[in-house]
Amino acid sequence: MSCPADSQRICLTSSQLTTALMEDNQLDGGLPSSLFECKQLQYLFLGYNKLTGRVPKEIRNLTSLTHLYLDFNNFQGRLPPEIGNLGMLKEIFLRNNSFEGRVPMEIGNLTMLTSLDLFDNHFEGSIPKTLGNLRLLQWLNLEVNKLTTEVSLFSDLSNCKYLRTVILSGNLLNSILPNSIGNLSSSLEQISLSECNIKGNIPISVGNLSNLIHLALEENELVGPLPSTIGRLRVLQSTSWKYEGSDTAGFINKSTIRWHPRDNRWPKKSSRLSLANNRLEGAIPESFGELVSLVVLELSNNSLSGEIPKSLEALSYLKYLNVSFNRLRGEVPMGGPFVNFSVASFMSNDALCGATRLQLPPCDTQAQKTTSKHMLKFILPTIGLTILALVLVLVLTRCNKSNARSTLVDAELSPLAQWRRISHQELIQATNGFSLNNLLGEGSFGSVYKGTLSDGMNIATKVLNLQVDGAFKSFDAECEHPSQFYWNLSSSLEQISLSECNIKGNIPISVGNLSNLIHLALEENELVGSLPSTIGRLRVLQRLALPDNRLDGPIPSELCHAKSLYELDLRGNKITGHIPTCINNLTLLRNLYLGNNQLSSTVPLNLWSLTDLLKIDLSSNSLTGSLSVKVGNMKVLTQLDLSTNQLSGGILGTIGGLKNLVGLSLANNRLEGAIPESFGELVSLVVLELSNNSLSGEIPKSLEALSYLKYLNVSFNRLRGEVPMGGPFVNFSVASFMSNDALCGATKLQLPPCDTQAQKTTSKHMLKFILPTIGLTILALVLVLVLTRCNKSNARSTLVDAELSPQAQWRRISHQELIQATNGFSLNNLLGEGSFGSVYKGTLSDGMNIATKYGSQGIVSTRGDMYSFGILLIETFTRKRPTDDMFIGEMSLKHWVNASLPHSVIDIIDPNLLRNERDDDAMKECISSLMGLAMGCCAESPEQRTNIVNVSAVLNKIKLKLLKDIGQN
C-alpha cells in the first residue's frame, strides 16, 4: 500500500489499534503484511482507493474485526475461505472490485453478520446454501456477478428472520420462483431479481410479504397470470430501486449500510412496479387498484389480455403507465391518472378503444359483438405500420446519399451505404420491442425509436399511425425533403432521451424551438458550454435532466420562464454563479438537483417559498450564509442535502417540523450551536448526516424516538455529554461519534464512561450560576428603571461601566464612518427595528464592533431601552451576541430565539447551564419563561413592549418557581 513507511508499520508500534479509517485517500498497491498483525483491529475502512492484489489468507488473524470495507478498489483473485474464521464480523462490503471464483461457503460461519455486499464482481458458481445460517442477516446484495442458484435458496434464506433486502439482479440464476419465497422474513422490504433468467410462474405466496416496498422481476422468462395477491402489498411503492450506476449505489441503504462522503448524491429512486419483458398472460388483476402508493406501473411486452381494470383510476399517485405490446382490448379508463397518459402507454394491443387523443378508435358497443371484423380492422393496420416503418428505413438509407441529409444520419451511415433489407423481426430486436426506453420522440403522425442492429449499426425508425389523416402525405414529404422532415419533426417532439450516448459539444440554442417538448434527458454525456437561455421558451417542459456533463457558466434566469418544470437536474457539472432568485416562479417544481457544481453566494430566500418541493440537493458547492427559518415551511420535503458547502450559523429547530423528511445531510459545513431537540420529531428520518461542523452541546435524547433511523454521523464536531443508548442508538458504532470534545458512554463506542459524580453537583451548579444571573438581571432592571427616572446627564449604567474603563474617553464617530461600518445601513446588518427606528450592527475601520440606532422620527423613548434590555436578557442565557457571525441575512438573534419557543428552547440555551437530566425540565421551563419575557421586551411595536414596571415582578416569580422545582427534585 503506497503510503508513508510509518503507516505500514503502524501495528508494530500500536498493538492496541482498533480502527483504521483510510477511505478515499488515493492509496494504491497491495495490502501490507503488517496490517494483519493488528490483532485488536475492529474497523477496517479502505474503500474508495486504488488498491490491487489479493486478500491473503492471513486475514484470519484479525479475529476482533467487526467491519470490513474494501469496496471500490481493484482487488482480484479468490476470496480466501479463511474469512470464515472472523466470527465477530458484522458487515462485509467488497462491492465494485474484480473478485472471482466461488463465494466461500465458510461465510456461513459468520453468525454475527448483518450485511453482505458483493455487488459488481466476477463471482461464479452456486450461491452458498450456508447463507441460511446467518440468522441476523439484514442486507444481502450479490448483484451483477455470474452466480447460479438452487431452488432451495429461498427456503434457506427463510431462516434469516431479520432480512430486509435481497438483491440478486444481473446473475445467471436460471431458476424458478418457489412458493417458499412467501416464507421469507416478514420484515422484508426489497426483492430485486431482474435479468436473472427466472422461469415459471409468479407464486401467489408473494402476497404474504406484507412489508414489501420494492419488487423487481423485469426482463426474465416468467409465464402464467399475474397473481391477484400482489394487491395485498399495500405499502408497495416501487421496483427497480435505481441508484447511480446500480440498484444500490446510493447513500440510503436499507439496513446498517453506510453513506460514504464521496457518494454525495441522493438516490434516484424510480417508484415503479415493473414486470415488463416477460411472457406473462391473462388479465391485469382488479386488485392492482389497491396499490395505493404506486407511481409507475410497467407491464409492457407481455401477453396480457382482457380489459384494463377501471380500479386503476383510484391510483392517485400513478404518473406513468405502460401496457403496450400486449393483447388488451376494451375501453381505456379515462378517470383519475388516466387523464395524463398519452398514446405511448397503449401501443400495439389487440383492440383497445377510447379517446381520440390516444389515437384509438371510439368504442363501438355493436362492434364488440363482431370480433372477426374487429381484429381485421386493427391487426391489418398494425402490420401495415410495421411494413411502412421498414420502407421508411430503406428510403432514408437511400436518401443518405443526398446533400440534404441530417447531421445525425451523416454520423451513423457511410456515403457508400448500400440498400439493405431489414426484417420486421430485426426491428423488434433492435428496438427491444419498440420499448419506451428506446423512444426518441412522438409527433402527430407517429413515434420515433432508436435501435441497434445485431452488427452494431445504430438506426432510428419511425412507426406511423395510419389512423391519422395526413400520415401518408407526411411520409412522402419526409422522403422528398429529409432536412425539412427533421425540422418539422422537432417542432412536434415531446420527449428526447439521449443519455450515455457520448454526445459532445454545446447544447444548441435551437433547442428553444422545440415548443412541445415535455422531457429532455441528456445525462452522462460530454456536453460543454453554458445552458442556452432559449430553454426558457419551453413552456411545457416538465423534466430537464443534464447531470454528469461538463456544462459551465451560470444558470440563466430565463430558465424561470419554463414554469411547467417538475424536475430540474443539473448535478455533476461545473456550473457557476448563484441560484436564480426567480426560482420561486417554478411553482410546479418538485425535485431540484444542483449538487456537485461550483455555485456560490447564498441560497435565495425565494427557494424556500416553493413549499411543494419533495427533494433538494445543493451539495458540494460553495454556498454561504445561514439556514433560513423558512425551511420549516417545507412540510412535504423528503430529502434535503446541503452538505459540503460553507454554510454557517445554527441549525434551526423549525426543521423538526418536517415530518416527511427521510434524509437530511448538513455535513462538511461551518454550522455551530446545538443539535435541535426538535429533531426527535422527524419521525420518517432514515439518514442524519451532521459530521464535520462545529456543533456543540449534547446529542438530544429525543433522537431515541426515531425508529426508522438507520444511519447517524455526528463525528468531527464539539459535542459533549452522554451518548443516548435507546432506540436506534443500539445499532450505531464508533464511526458515528468520532472526534468530539467530550462525549461519554458505552465502551463499545470506545468512549470514556460518564462521570455520575459530576451529575450530582448539578443542582449546586445551578444555584451558584443561574440564580445569581437572574439576580443580576433583576438588579440591572431596577438600575435601568432608576436611571430612566433620574435621567441625569452624568449618570452611567453599570452595564456601560463594565464595558468602558474609568479612563475611557468619549469617541466621536462621524456619520460617514457609520455608513461605512454598516455598509450603508444594509439590511444584512439589521439587528431589529421598531416604530422609532432601527438598530444596525457594524464594524469600524479599526475592527471595533458596534451597534447603532437609526432614528426614523426623531423621537426619544424609554421603550427603546426596553428593547435593549430584552436583547441583553437573550445574550445572558444563550451566550450569543447580535453581532455573531451566525446571524446574517434574515437570521437575527431575536428571530433565532423566537423560532425555538416554546418547545425547542433547549436548542438555544447555553450548554453549560445543563449538566443533569434530573433538573432539565425545571431549567427548560425557567429559560423558556425568561426568553418569553425577553421577546415581550423586544416586540416590534413600542406600544406592545412589556412595561418596565412589570418586568421585575415577573423575574421574581420565575426565580421562586425555579427554586421550588429544584427543591422538589
Side-chain angles (χ1 to χ4, degrees):
M1 190 161 63
S2 297
C3 50
D6 289 345
S7 66
Q8 294 203 32
R9 299 180 57 82
I10 189 169
C11 294
L12 298 180
T13 58
S14 180
S15 60
Q16 301 302 312
L17 184 71
T18 60
T19 301
L21 183 59
M22 292 181 280
E23 292 186 301
D24 202 3
N25 276 297
Q26 300 295 310
L27 301 175
D28 56 19
L31 295 174
S33 58
S34 61
L35 177 66
F36 304 104
E37 299 174 15
C38 302
K39 300 297 180 64
Q40 303 300 318
L41 191 64
Q42 298 178 30
Y43 301 91
L44 180 57
F45 294 92
L46 295 175
Y48 294 85
N49 284 295
K50 300 177 181 179
L51 298 172
T52 57
R54 298 169 177 263
V55 176
K57 63 182 180 181
E58 284 76 16
I59 196 172
R60 66 189 173 195
N61 297 334
L62 305 181
T63 53
S64 298
L65 199 64
T66 61
H67 293 71
L68 176 62
Y69 285 81
L70 304 178
D71 46 331
F72 292 92
N73 279 289
N74 298 308
F75 288 109
Q76 300 172 337
R78 294 175 177 269
L79 191 62
E82 286 79 5
I83 197 171
N85 295 347
L86 308 181
M88 301 298 292
L89 266 180
K90 296 180 180 179
E91 298 181 5
I92 300 177
F93 279 82
L94 306 179
R95 58 164 48 206
N96 292 84
N97 280 286
S98 297
F99 288 106
E100 58 189 26
R102 293 179 174 271
V103 178
M105 61 180 297
E106 289 79 4
I107 284 182
N109 299 334
L110 306 177
T111 55
M112 302 291 289
L113 203 66
T114 61
S115 301
L116 176 61
D117 196 316
L118 307 180
F119 165 74
D120 198 7
N121 280 281
H122 304 305
F123 288 108
E124 57 188 8
S126 182
I127 298 173
K129 292 172 60 66
T130 56
L131 294 185
N133 299 337
L134 307 178
R135 303 299 177 90
L136 301 181
L137 192 65
Q138 299 180 35
W139 174 273
L140 176 63
N141 186 358
L142 306 179
E143 183 183 6
V144 190
N145 282 284
K146 302 174 183 178
L147 297 168
T148 60
T149 188
E150 300 177 9
V151 176
S152 61
L153 172 67
F154 294 102
S155 295
D156 298 331
L157 292 178
S158 64
N159 296 325
C160 307
K161 298 302 182 183
Y162 300 97
L163 197 61
R164 304 181 71 170
T165 298
V166 177
I167 303 174
L168 305 177
S169 298
N171 282 288
L172 306 173
L173 300 186
N174 196 27
S175 180
I176 65 170
L177 290 179
N179 283 326
S180 59
I181 195 173
N183 297 329
L184 291 175
S185 168
S186 60
S187 61
L188 195 66
E189 296 178 351
Q190 179 179 0
I191 298 179
S192 182
L193 301 173
S194 306
E195 301 180 72
C196 288
N197 199 29
I198 295 177
K199 301 177 175 62
N201 292 55
I202 301 176
I204 60 175
S205 60
V206 74
N208 297 338
L209 305 175
S210 56
N211 285 308
L212 201 62
I213 297 175
H214 306 282
L215 176 61
L217 300 174
E218 65 262 35
E219 298 189 50
N220 284 293
E221 298 182 29
L222 295 168
V223 297
L226 293 171
S228 60
T229 54
I230 291 179
R232 299 178 190 167
L233 308 179
R234 303 299 174 84
V235 296
L236 186 68
Q237 295 175 357
S238 68
T239 63
S240 302
W241 200 353
K242 298 295 183 186
Y243 290 89
E244 300 289 328
S246 77
D247 275 4
T248 56
F251 89 111
I252 296 181
N253 291 323
K254 300 304 293 180
S255 61
T256 55
I257 313 306
R258 79 205 190 297
W259 171 54
H260 193 281
R262 191 170 182 177
D263 294 334
N264 51 21
R265 294 190 178 182
W266 298 91
K268 294 181 176 178
K269 181 163 45 170
S270 175
S271 299
R272 63 180 186 173
L273 170 59
S274 176
L275 303 173
N277 296 296
N278 281 286
R279 302 175 186 174
L280 298 168
E281 57 190 12
I284 301 174
E286 193 78 22
S287 62
F288 273 28
E290 299 173 19
L291 300 174
V292 292
S293 301
L294 208 59
V295 175
V296 174
L297 180 57
E298 172 55 277
L299 301 175
S300 64
N301 286 282
N302 282 287
S303 297
L304 301 175
S305 56
E307 297 187 355
I308 300 174
K310 284 186 67 65
S311 63
L312 301 187
E313 292 180 335
L315 303 181
S316 57
Y317 292 104
L318 194 64
K319 303 299 181 186
Y320 175 84
L321 171 70
N322 192 359
V323 294
S324 297
F325 299 97
N326 280 288
R327 299 174 182 174
L328 299 170
R329 59 175 57 243
E331 185 174 13
V332 173
M334 290 305 297
F338 285 83
V339 298
N340 299 315
F341 300 145
S342 68
V343 61
S345 296
F346 310 103
M347 294 189 299
S348 294
N349 277 281
D350 277 357
L352 289 176
C353 61
T356 55
R357 69 178 182 81
L358 301 179
Q359 300 182 19
L360 296 173
C363 295
D364 185 352
T365 54
Q366 182 63 30
Q368 294 175 2
K369 300 177 182 179
T370 58
T371 304
S372 298
K373 293 181 180 180
H374 192 79
M375 292 179 65
L376 289 173
K377 184 176 181 181
F378 290 97
I379 298 300
L380 294 181
T382 302
I383 297 174
L385 285 173
T386 306
I387 296 173
L388 185 57
L390 175 61
V391 172
L392 177 60
V393 171
L394 295 176
V395 171
L396 289 178
T397 302
R398 187 180 184 187
C399 291
N400 178 62
K401 296 181 179 180
S402 69
N403 293 330
R405 63 183 178 269
S406 76
T407 304
L408 180 60
V409 177
D410 282 340
E412 298 292 338
L413 299 179
S414 162
L416 302 178
Q418 302 296 315
W419 283 77
R420 175 177 178 181
R421 295 182 182 274
I422 303 174
S423 69
H424 176 237
Q425 186 61 33
E426 284 182 289
L427 287 178
I428 291 178
Q429 292 176 350
T431 61
N432 292 323
F434 297 102
S435 166
L436 192 63
N437 292 330
N438 290 52
L439 183 66
L440 292 179
E442 299 175 288
S444 302
F445 301 115
S447 305
V448 179
Y449 296 85
K450 65 180 178 181
T452 304
L453 298 176
S454 58
D455 61 0
M457 179 182 179
N458 293 322
I459 63 169
T461 181
K462 183 173 183 178
V463 179
L464 293 178
N465 186 352
L466 297 184
Q467 298 177 25
V468 177
D469 293 338
F472 273 119
K473 292 182 180 179
S474 171
F475 171 74
D476 294 337
E478 291 164 7
C479 294
E480 292 177 9
H481 304 287
S483 61
Q484 186 64 34
F485 152 61
Y486 289 115
W487 177 261
N488 289 338
L489 176 64
S490 67
S491 65
S492 59
L493 273 176
E494 294 181 355
Q495 177 177 349
I496 296 178
S497 183
L498 297 172
S499 305
E500 300 181 73
C501 291
N502 199 31
I503 299 175
K504 300 177 174 65
N506 294 55
I507 300 175
I509 60 174
S510 58
V511 70
N513 298 330
L514 308 178
S515 54
N516 288 309
L517 199 62
I518 296 174
H519 176 106
L520 177 59
L522 303 174
E523 59 255 53
E524 296 187 53
N525 285 292
E526 297 183 30
L527 296 170
V528 297
S530 59
L531 288 172
S533 60
T534 53
I535 290 181
R537 300 179 192 169
L538 307 180
R539 303 303 170 87
V540 297
L541 187 68
Q542 295 180 16
R543 182 170 186 256
L544 177 61
L546 306 174
D548 297 310
N549 282 284
R550 302 176 186 174
L551 299 171
D552 54 26
I555 300 174
S557 59
E558 289 82 359
L559 185 63
C560 300
H561 298 314
K563 295 185 178 181
S564 297
L565 269 180
Y566 181 93
E567 179 175 308
L568 176 60
D569 190 350
L570 303 177
R571 290 174 292 185
N573 285 286
K574 300 178 182 179
I575 295 173
T576 57
H578 61 272
I579 301 172
T581 55
C582 60
I583 195 169
N584 62 313
N585 293 338
L586 304 179
T587 55
L588 299 180
L589 196 65
R590 297 297 178 268
N591 302 325
L592 176 63
Y593 305 116
L594 301 179
N596 262 52
N597 279 289
Q598 298 172 15
L599 296 169
S600 56
S601 189
T602 59
V603 179
L605 296 179
N606 288 343
L607 172 63
W608 309 113
S609 66
L610 298 175
T611 54
D612 291 325
L613 274 171
L614 299 175
K615 301 174 184 178
I616 300 176
D617 178 7
L618 306 180
S619 63
S620 297
N621 283 286
S622 298
L623 298 171
T624 59
S626 61
L627 297 174
S628 171
V629 293
K630 295 182 179 179
V631 176
N633 298 332
M634 316 292 286
K635 299 301 183 184
V636 298
L637 197 65
T638 61
Q639 296 172 358
L640 177 61
D641 190 352
L642 302 177
S643 61
T644 317
N645 280 288
Q646 299 175 27
L647 299 175
S648 58
I651 301 179
L652 304 174
T654 54
I655 293 179
L658 308 183
K659 308 296 185 185
N660 293 307
L661 203 60
V662 174
L664 173 63
S665 179
L666 303 175
N668 298 296
N669 279 289
R670 302 173 182 174
L671 299 171
E672 57 186 9
I675 300 173
E677 188 81 20
S678 62
F679 273 22
E681 300 172 18
L682 298 173
V683 293
S684 301
L685 204 62
V686 176
V687 174
L688 179 57
E689 189 21 297
L690 302 175
S691 63
N692 286 282
N693 281 287
S694 298
L695 301 176
S696 57
E698 297 187 356
I699 300 174
K701 283 185 66 67
S702 63
L703 300 188
E704 292 180 335
L706 303 181
S707 57
Y708 293 103
L709 192 65
K710 303 302 177 190
Y711 176 85
L712 170 70
N713 193 359
V714 294
S715 298
F716 301 97
N717 279 289
R718 300 174 181 173
L719 299 170
R720 58 177 58 242
E722 184 173 14
V723 173
M725 290 305 298
F729 284 83
V730 298
N731 299 316
F732 298 147
S733 67
V734 61
S736 295
F737 310 103
M738 295 187 299
S739 295
N740 277 280
D741 277 357
L743 288 177
C744 61
T747 54
K748 77 181 182 76
L749 302 179
Q750 300 181 22
L751 295 172
C754 296
D755 187 355
T756 55
Q757 183 62 33
Q759 296 177 358
K760 296 177 181 179
T761 62
T762 301
S763 297
K764 295 181 179 179
H765 173 83
M766 294 173 64
L767 290 172
K768 288 181 179 180
F769 183 79
I770 302 299
L771 296 182
T773 302
I774 296 177
L776 286 173
T777 305
I778 297 173
L779 183 59
L781 176 64
V782 173
L783 183 59
V784 170
L785 180 60
V786 171
L787 291 177
T788 301
R789 290 180 175 177
C790 296
N791 196 27
K792 297 180 179 180
S793 61
N794 59 346
R796 295 293 184 267
S797 166
T798 306
L799 293 175
V800 176
D801 287 339
E803 297 291 335
L804 300 178
S805 70
Q807 290 79 24
Q809 301 297 316
W810 287 85
R811 175 176 175 179
R812 295 183 181 274
I813 302 174
S814 69
H815 181 241
Q816 186 61 33
E817 285 182 288
L818 289 179
I819 291 177
Q820 292 176 348
T822 60
N823 293 321
F825 296 100
S826 167
L827 283 177
N828 292 331
N829 290 47
L830 182 66
L831 296 178
E833 53 187 351
S835 299
F836 299 120
S838 305
V839 179
Y840 295 84
K841 65 180 178 180
T843 304
L844 297 175
S845 57
D846 60 1
M848 178 181 178
N849 292 325
I850 63 169
T852 180
K853 187 168 183 178
Y854 189 97
S856 60
Q857 300 178 14
I859 301 174
V860 178
S861 170
T862 58
R863 289 170 179 159
D865 297 326
M866 288 311 304
Y867 189 99
S868 300
F869 174 75
I871 295 297
L872 173 64
L873 203 57
I874 293 172
E875 289 183 82
T876 302
F877 290 94
T878 65
R879 292 189 69 181
K880 302 290 183 185
R881 293 171 178 255
T883 54
D884 286 351
D885 292 339
M886 66 181 291
F887 302 121
I888 57 178
E890 67 169 15
M891 175 55 66
S892 67
L893 176 64
K894 184 178 123 178
H895 290 157
W896 179 59
V897 171
N898 194 42
S900 73
L901 296 176
H903 304 299
S904 302
V905 70
I906 195 171
D907 299 340
I908 62 169
I909 191 174
D910 176 4
N912 292 317
L913 302 183
L914 296 177
R915 296 290 180 86
N916 190 336
E917 293 180 10
R918 185 184 64 179
D919 297 319
D920 273 1
D921 290 340
M923 278 304 304
K924 290 176 189 176
E925 185 175 354
C926 172
I927 303 297
S928 181
S929 299
L930 288 170
M931 293 301 98
L933 177 63
M935 297 309 296
C937 296
C938 296
E940 295 298 336
S941 171
E943 289 75 15
Q944 295 175 349
R945 293 172 189 166
T946 306
N947 190 297
I948 196 168
V949 177
N950 299 328
V951 172
S952 180
V954 174
L955 285 172
N956 268 311
K957 289 181 180 179
I958 295 173
K959 183 178 83 169
L960 291 174
K961 188 172 191 314
L962 177 62
L963 286 171
K964 179 181 178 182
D965 292 343
I966 292 177
Q968 289 176 347
N969 289 337

